[in-house]
Amino acid sequence: MYDHCIIGGGIVGLAVAMALQERVPGAKVIVLEKEEELARHQTGHNSGVIHAGIYYAPGTLKAKLCREGAEATKQFCRENRIPFETCGKLLVATSKAEMRRMEALEDRAQCNGIDFTRLTIGQLRADEPNIAGMGALLVHSTGIVDYALVCRAMAKRIVDRGGEIIRGKEVLAILEHEKGVRVQTSAVVVEARRLVACAGLQSDRIALMAGMKIDHRIVPFRGEYYSLPASKAKVTQRLIYPIPDPDLPFLGIHLTRTIDGGMTVGPNAVLGFSREGYAKGSFSPRDVYSMATFSGFWKMARKNWRSAVLEFANSASRTRYLTECQKYCPSLTISDLQNPQAGIRAQAVMADGTLVHDFLFKQTDRMLHVCNAPSPAATSAIPIGRMIVDRLLDRDDGTSDAIPAQAEA
Ligand SMILES: Cc1cc2nc3c(=O)[nH]c(=O)nc-3n(C[C@H](O)[C@H](O)[C@H](O)COP(=O)(O)OP(=O)(O)OC[C@H]3O[C@@H](n4cnc5c(N)ncnc54)[C@H](O)[C@@H]3O)c2cc1C
């Protein structure tokens, strides 16, 4: 009998396993991952940004965990000799409306205790000659890293401390009983006192499989990127972001330096027709059926059809995609958009059609399901793991919940 079984070898599952071993040295911990490699889904397909935490409503868990997570991630990288760089990022306003939104963001950054500098047009031009805008916020502590490498180091630490990680075995059935949880995989049956499910794009299916009552479903949103050619890899020193639309949980197409010396542009946020199909045009009848039979999907579609149509159009046409990027980086040309690739976000949508911006957790006596872990959950994974463990073990001790069932993020 294991003490704790964790489903999902993405960064959240691994951070939970590490936190369990930190809090209860010697605990028997097992991680089950369906892919042959760790970090094959969201964690291995993200922008690789260590976010500072500027965007999130002050006082919320997301704001707090992102700030703590950025520090914890950098510290973990130092301890494990994982390359990272604190290159800073610019949030660039390119219209009067964006200038107004930028001012609101400035207030938020102040409340969140984020170190930033406001740049005028002239200062922006001096800081980044290839970037055009009416003004910008420079966030000093934003960094870049390869989260797949972070996961590899986490896995090593877990195994060095006596934990087990089983790859290539999909969880097919879950039964919660009086003494624990029985987890059936494609090869073995695992018995554990507690289960933590961190299954990302499959998290609603895992929750339903475990008999949880949930009123949300995962809707996949593709984030499509291009790589810039080597000649443009130094077009900026910092990361360049647009001012985000506060109604949407996505940050807009940005220019991102990668830790291996490259530069990507993206991601957009276009509705996906396959949760794990990365090639353009991927279509999974099962995933489409799940969406089409969920009333919340249609309510969301009705509320957001304008931005959905725009995203589809920008996705279908490289020229339109380029126009978005040229708003702040006019020197980019169509031939710079090379090597298209994609990540897929697991976005929880409630039955009333609301997109869940927050982290969402559901718990029973012996299980905790991470139902929504959107960006910046890679940055925040280490404190998220500790918070989940506090909640699990506090429940063991009979003390009160450490986090609300649906935490504002
Ligand atoms: C395009 C994109 C850009 C992003 N950019 C950033 C960024 O720059 N910074 C940031 O902080 N965050 C970013 N994020 C968000 C971040 O990547 C995610 O929030 C984070 O990786 C979520 O981690 P996870 O472990 O919950 O999910 P995942 O990484 O998706 O891991 C879930 C795991 O569960 C496994 N699994 C599922 N079902 C089963 C089963 N039945 N049996 C066994 N295993 C199973 C999967 O195979 C998978 O490995 C981005 C996300 C995307 C998609």
Side-chain angles (χ1 to χ4, degrees), residues 22 47 61 85 103 115 127 203 235 258 274 276 291 293 296 305 312 333 344 351 361 384 387 389 401 408-409:
E22 268 168 26
S47 308
L61 205 55
E85 194 187 325
E103 275 151 28
D115 183 22
D127 195 68
S203 55
V235 69
T258 55
S274 171
E276 296 180 357
M291 278 195 297
T293 52
W305 69 269
F312 273 120
T333 64
I344 303 174
F361 305 93
I384 289 176
M387 182 187 65
V389 169
D401 285 350
E408 163 60 7

Side-chain angles (χ1 to χ4, degrees), residues 102-169:
M102 187 177 90
E103 275 151 28
L105 209 53
E106 200 173 346
D107 292 343
R108 191 164 268 201
Q110 248 149 14
C111 295
N112 283 337
I114 305 295
D115 183 22
F116 72 94
T117 308
R118 183 173 178 157
L119 304 187
T120 60
I121 293 190
Q123 289 166 326
L124 172 61
R125 222 172 269 146
D127 195 68
E128 286 288 3
N130 292 316
I131 296 301
M134 299 172 81
L137 298 182
L138 166 57
V139 184
H140 299 276
S141 62
T142 303
I144 48 174
V145 72
D146 178 344
Y147 283 109
L149 285 184
V150 174
C151 284
R152 231 176 278 162
M154 286 178 161
K156 182 173 181 317
R157 187 174 281 191
I158 292 163
V159 172
D160 286 350
R161 289 176 175 167
E164 281 178 57
I165 300 180
I166 307 233
R167 298 171 172 85
K169 302 288 174 271

Side-chain angles (χ1 to χ4, degrees), residues 8 10-12 33-34 41-43 46-47 49 171 225 373 376-379:
I11 197 163
V12 175
E33 166 55 51
K34 71 179 165 65
H41 292 295
Q42 294 177 91
T43 305
N46 65 27
S47 308
V49 176
V171 171
Y225 297 88
T379 306

Side-chain angles (χ1 to χ4, degrees), residues 7-13 32-35 37-51 147 169-172 198-202 206 209 221 223 225 241 267 276 343-346 370 373-380:
I7 301 175
I11 197 163
V12 175
L32 302 173
E33 166 55 51
K34 71 179 165 65
E35 306 292 346
E37 283 169 47
L38 301 171
R40 276 285 295 113
H41 292 295
Q42 294 177 91
T43 305
H45 286 92
N46 65 27
S47 308
V49 176
I50 306 175
H51 285 291
Y147 283 109
K169 302 288 174 271
E170 183 172 358
V171 171
L172 299 173
C198 312
L201 286 152
Q202 308 297 337
I206 292 285
M209 186 190 284
F221 279 90
Y225 297 88
Y241 279 64
E276 296 180 357
I344 303 174
R345 304 174 184 88
V370 177
S375 184
T379 306
S380 316

Side-chain angles (χ1 to χ4, degrees), residues 55-74:
Y55 303 105
Y56 317 115
T60 61
L61 205 55
K62 207 170 185 176
K64 176 177 175 290
L65 293 177
C66 188
R67 238 184 6 254
E68 285 175 21
E71 268 319 299
T73 303
K74 290 176 188 173

